[in-house]
Amino acid sequence: MLDVAVIGGGIVGASVAYWLVRHGARVSVIDRQDVGQATAAGAGILPPLDHFIGNPAMLPLLREARRFYPQLLAALAEDGETETGYAVVGALHVATSDADAERLVELRRECEAQRAAGMLHIGELTELEGAAARRYFPLLGGGVVRALHASGAARIDGRRLLSALRRALERRGARWTEASAEPELEAGRVVGIRTPAGVWPAGAVVIAGGAWSSSSAERAGLYVPVRPQRGQLVHLELVGSDTTEWPIVLGFGTHYLLSFAPSRIVAGATREPASGYAAVNTAGGVHGVLEQALQLAPGLARARLLEARVGLRPMSADGLPILGASPLLPNLYVATGHGGYGLEVGPYSGALVADLLLRRPTPLDVGPFAPARFATAYPG
Ligand SMILES: Cc1cc2nc3c(=O)[nH]c(=O)nc-3n(C[C@H](O)[C@H](O)[C@H](O)COP(=O)(O)OP(=O)(O)OC[C@H]3O[C@@H](n4cnc5c(N)ncnc54)[C@H](O)[C@@H]3O)c2cc1C
């Protein structure tokens, strides 16, 4: 029986572990619970189109990741887990200037082309005047002049999805330990992981440590260029309003709004590439998020401030995830680098990496995501 240790219990590590255990492998997940875990902070937008759509290698992965979501939810339901916060609520892509309104026309064309190429999750597209957009999201201000509504966009609650995966895989016999771990090598082979409690033998090891993956890989001589990018967001409560079915609001910058039941609005997010590992909310970060949110939706001024969250997005050097076996050590695998799209793509990446470990054919060519695309020796 394949015996695998997964380093990192964010959405990606938990997904690798879940599909392994469902296929009969023996699995341990070891998670350090770092402050700044991206999964615990992630907003949870499953958008109509992503900003990195320009990278052709991402298109099939995105398409299949979105097709896969219902399969994931069905598998979890089979395991008795139905609380994930997932809902198809649609998205309003809003324009606040005439120039933006023109870009909406282009966006619509791109959405239609991608939908024709198989991105069925985009759903129906409708162009709306500002007043009509406000019927979907009543707090939007007069600054919104036009919007494009995409009916298929969805949201997920990363914390609840992760808890559901963890419960399901533990119930299937996997072990989940809260500790730090690193790959353990002996005579040029990975023999398991080193934890504070000693070395645990394993037939294969997966590094799924999010923004912290590089240092674990470096210990095994593997160059995995992933850096942290801090993201801050704010959770608000709109007392007395039922926001359960409100759509996601996207603009042409990095800021957005999304809603959860019963009255929660999430305003996000900063993108701070120079943050290093400082997973803290800053006055400037929270100010910027609130300022943008209130510009878009002045009606949010009366909302109750619930909490600010912060997470470190695992950004790979070329923007693509890093998935697959180490070119140096055959039983060492990597699953990381999902940047700002890991809640959308990570569950599917987990299933792909589980297939690789189990020597099953993958439903998608994972070649473009292989760790071997980077130099194998750690520089310096
Ligand atoms: C503000 C913000 C908003 C976002 N919004 C979205 C969104 O709307 N849609 C979307 O799809 N994605 C979004 N993302 C991105 C998404 O959250 C991430 O891509 C995804 O959660 C990454 O998952 P992961 O498992 O790779 O990493 P993480 O969730 O960071 O988990 C890594 C885990 O590994 C553990 N670990 C690391 N090293 C070790 C070690 N040596 N030993 C033991 N444990 C270790 C850490 O403690 C951590 O728990 C957002 C991210 C942020 C920060």
Side-chain angles (χ1 to χ4, degrees), residues 211-231:
W212 298 267
S213 298
S214 285
S215 63
S216 297
E218 187 182 355
R219 282 169 187 258
L222 180 63
Y223 180 45
V224 172
V226 172
R227 291 169 57 84
Q229 181 199 69
R230 185 166 66 197

Side-chain angles (χ1 to χ4, degrees), residues 78-372:
E78 225 175 70
D79 283 332
E81 297 295 339
T82 53
E83 295 297 315
T84 62
Y86 177 84
V88 177
V89 289
L92 279 177
H93 205 112
V94 299
T96 53
S97 67
D98 290 345
D100 276 359
E102 272 170 39
R103 289 170 77 187
L104 274 189
V105 178
E106 221 171 282
L107 182 69
R108 177 178 191 147
R109 239 181 264 129
E110 202 181 344
C111 282
E112 280 169 348
Q114 293 302 344
R115 195 178 52 189
M119 298 243 189
L120 301 180
H121 65 259
I122 293 170
E124 290 300 312
L125 296 165
T126 317
E127 277 178 56
L128 304 167
E129 297 296 336
R134 278 185 281 285
R135 279 200 285 280
Y136 280 93
F137 198 100
L139 304 185
L140 291 179
V144 172
V145 290
R146 277 191 84 71
L148 178 66
H149 183 260
S151 67
R155 59 143 202 259
I156 187 82
D157 181 329
R159 291 186 182 193
R160 288 166 82 188
L161 177 59
L162 179 56
S163 300
L165 283 166
R166 177 175 172 173
R167 281 191 301 270
L169 61 85
E170 284 184 311
R171 221 176 285 125
R172 283 181 177 266
R175 179 166 62 159
W176 187 294
T177 306
E178 283 158 16
S180 186
E182 301 300 350
E184 177 74 5
L185 272 72
E186 217 178 86
R189 270 191 75 77
V190 173
V191 292
I193 52 169
R194 178 167 291 276
T195 74
V199 173
W200 296 359
V205 171
V206 182
I207 297 172
W212 298 267
S213 298
S214 285
S215 63
S216 297
E218 187 182 355
R219 282 169 187 258
L222 180 63
Y223 180 45
V224 172
V226 172
R227 291 169 57 84
Q229 181 199 69
R230 185 166 66 197
Q232 304 186 51
L233 34 71
V234 168
H235 284 234
L236 304 165
E237 186 186 16
L238 208 58
V239 181
S241 297
D242 179 1
T243 60
T244 311
E245 293 184 2
W246 286 16
I248 298 155
V249 178
L250 304 166
F252 286 101
T254 61
H255 289 78
Y256 50 73
L257 301 169
L258 78 158
S259 310
F260 287 94
S263 306
R264 186 176 285 248
I265 307 260
V266 179
T270 62
R271 285 188 169 270
E272 301 170 77
S275 62
Y277 287 94
V280 291
N281 282 111
T282 62
V286 171
H287 172 77
V289 166
L290 284 176
E291 190 178 34
Q292 301 261 354
L294 290 170
Q295 253 169 32
L296 214 53
L300 277 177
R302 70 176 172 85
R304 189 157 79 95
L305 187 61
L306 290 176
E307 59 176 317
R309 290 188 187 175
V310 59
L312 301 175
R313 300 180 186 92
M315 309 298 292
S316 75
D318 61 3
L320 301 180
I322 307 173
L323 308 173
S326 152
L328 304 172
L329 302 163
N331 54 343
L332 179 68
Y333 290 74
V334 181
T336 188
H338 292 78
Y341 52 84
L343 297 177
E344 182 185 11
V345 174
Y348 185 60
S349 295
L352 290 174
V353 172
D355 280 344
L356 291 173
L357 274 145
L358 294 159
R359 306 268 185 272
R360 288 158 47 98
T362 53
L364 182 88
D365 175 18
V366 290
F369 313 113

Side-chain angles (χ1 to χ4, degrees), residues 8 11-12 31-32 34 37-39 43-45 181 339-344:
I11 198 67
V12 175
D31 184 59
R32 201 168 52 198
D34 283 288
Q37 186 201 66
T39 303
I45 299 172
Y341 52 84
L343 297 177
E344 182 185 11

